[in-house]
Amino acid sequence: RDIRTSRGGLNVGLRSSEKIGGTRMTQMSDLRQQTQMSDLPADLVNVVMKFMEPLELLALRGAARYWDKFAKSPDEWALRCSCLWSDKVYIPSSLRADIPSPKTYFGSIRDAQRVVFNSREELCAQHFHFRFKLGAGDFWWGRDPSFLADEGSAPMYRRFLVDGTLTHQPPSSPSPSELAEGASELPASPLNALFAVAPSFDPLEDDEELRALLPHISWAFTKSRNGRRGQFIRLNRWPSYAVSRSAKDWGWVLDSDWVVYRSCCPETVAKGPTWLADAND
């Protein structure tokens, strides 16, 4: 069949030159059969919509009033937002709380390109795992849980606090077995707090000899070249961290010469290849 859209609905006809009973008939031009979208029941239209891509659905809004009524339905966009966000670590709460629409769907895609924290509060709402890079020296990465073979040992956990300090204690720490069982059931939280787990032994906090080597740690935003705060973060007077995003899960990445932070996610908990990128090079 040949289906074409028109501003009033769908033109449905048979391809020309179909052979019926040995006789060729040119049916498109002669019969001019037309079924208007307004003739179709709403339930059928909704079924058709389910097979449409977001950009196709968006294009329908300008085709006709009848199309627009269905194409802007919050139910249609809730389904697409849920599918898009299902494996994402961070979507701003303002988009999560908004009524599902093209604005929330495409707005979240646009926000995933943002590499600047809008406020101290936004940074402090994140949950991070961190590890040393090989460039920091074997004294440090040799004690880093991310490089240990123990499968039950999570990477070191850190969260930035509004007062300029950091904490190594996550809000809650499910056991590795609980984590494995619940990994497929992501929470509604845009930060995916299910993966905010800490190791049973954090060498920088639990090893007294290492703690004696480390000074009090505080953090602050530093200005970028264009003068905007939130694109770089400095801890004490060590090399600054450049802010970027993970293309896969939209999580935050803080990268310096010696250390890398990444939003807690399945990849960091599993100590996967992208988490240990420089170690695998």
Side-chain angles (χ1 to χ4, degrees):
R1 289 182 176 274
D2 184 25
I3 301 178
R4 299 191 180 100
T5 58
S6 67
R7 194 166 181 82
L10 292 177
N11 293 328
V12 182
L14 298 173
R15 292 186 184 277
S16 59
S17 302
E18 288 193 359
K19 189 174 183 180
I20 302 179
T23 304
R24 292 186 176 277
M25 303 178 64
T26 307
Q27 296 189 354
M28 279 287 289
S29 57
D30 296 342
L31 298 181
R32 299 182 181 276
Q33 296 181 359
Q34 184 181 71
T35 300
Q36 298 290 337
M37 278 295 295
S38 57
D39 297 332
L40 299 178
D43 290 345
L44 181 57
V45 176
N46 287 327
V47 170
V48 174
M49 294 286 186
K50 297 294 186 293
F51 293 93
M52 304 186 76
E53 296 295 330
L55 286 175
E56 295 173 332
L57 192 63
L58 187 65
L60 286 180
R61 295 193 59 182
R65 289 183 179 179
Y66 190 79
W67 282 103
D68 183 70
K69 178 176 64 174
F70 292 95
K72 69 182 182 182
S73 167
D75 291 339
E76 291 294 335
W77 288 103
L79 177 65
R80 286 157 178 80
C81 287
S82 177
C83 182
L84 175 66
W85 297 346
S86 63
D87 61 349
K88 301 302 185 287
V89 173
Y90 182 71
I91 298 98
S93 58
S94 58
L95 293 176
R96 285 263 181 174
D98 205 355
I99 297 174
S101 66
K103 175 185 175 182
T104 56
Y105 182 91
F106 293 103
S108 68
I109 295 176
R110 182 169 55 252
D111 183 81
Q113 309 301 314
R114 176 169 57 94
V115 294
V116 175
F117 287 106
N118 288 327
S119 65
R120 294 173 66 89
E121 288 73 19
E122 183 177 38
L123 169 62
C124 295
Q126 315 302 318
H127 300 276
F128 288 102
H129 280 133
F130 97 97
R131 69 169 178 83
F132 288 101
K133 291 185 173 182
L134 298 187
D138 57 3
F139 177 85
W140 295 106
W141 63 259
R143 293 165 171 77
D144 193 325
S146 288
F147 297 100
L148 299 180
D150 182 5
E151 295 183 357
S153 178
M156 290 181 285
Y157 170 87
R158 293 294 183 273
R159 184 161 58 90
F160 293 78
L161 302 180
V162 177
D163 65 4
T165 61
L166 290 86
T167 179
H168 68 285
Q169 298 177 336
S172 62
S173 296
S175 68
S177 60
E178 292 173 332
L179 185 63
E181 292 174 359
S184 61
E185 300 179 5
L186 301 183
S189 168
L191 299 178
N192 198 358
L194 176 65
F195 296 99
V197 294
S200 57
F201 182 83
D202 186 326
L204 302 188
E205 296 292 335
D206 302 324
D207 187 317
E208 294 184 2
E209 293 184 4
L210 285 183
R211 281 190 60 83
L213 296 175
L214 295 173
H216 174 75
I217 298 176
S218 61
W219 70 272
F221 284 135
T222 58
K223 289 185 178 180
S224 62
R225 291 180 179 178
N226 59 13
R228 184 173 182 182
R229 289 188 178 275
Q231 192 172 1
F232 293 91
I233 300 169
R234 172 171 287 178
L235 274 64
N236 291 0
R237 300 188 65 82
W238 299 324
S240 295
Y241 295 83
V243 178
S244 62
R245 302 288 288 275
S246 167
K248 180 180 179 180
D249 62 21
W250 299 358
W252 296 91
V253 179
L254 314 179
D255 198 3
S256 77
D257 294 337
W258 300 334
V259 175
V260 61
Y261 287 71
R262 180 174 170 181
S263 296
C264 298
C265 64
E267 182 72 5
T268 60
V269 173
K271 295 185 278 191
T274 62
W275 173 234
L276 302 176
D278 65 308
N280 294 328
D281 292 343

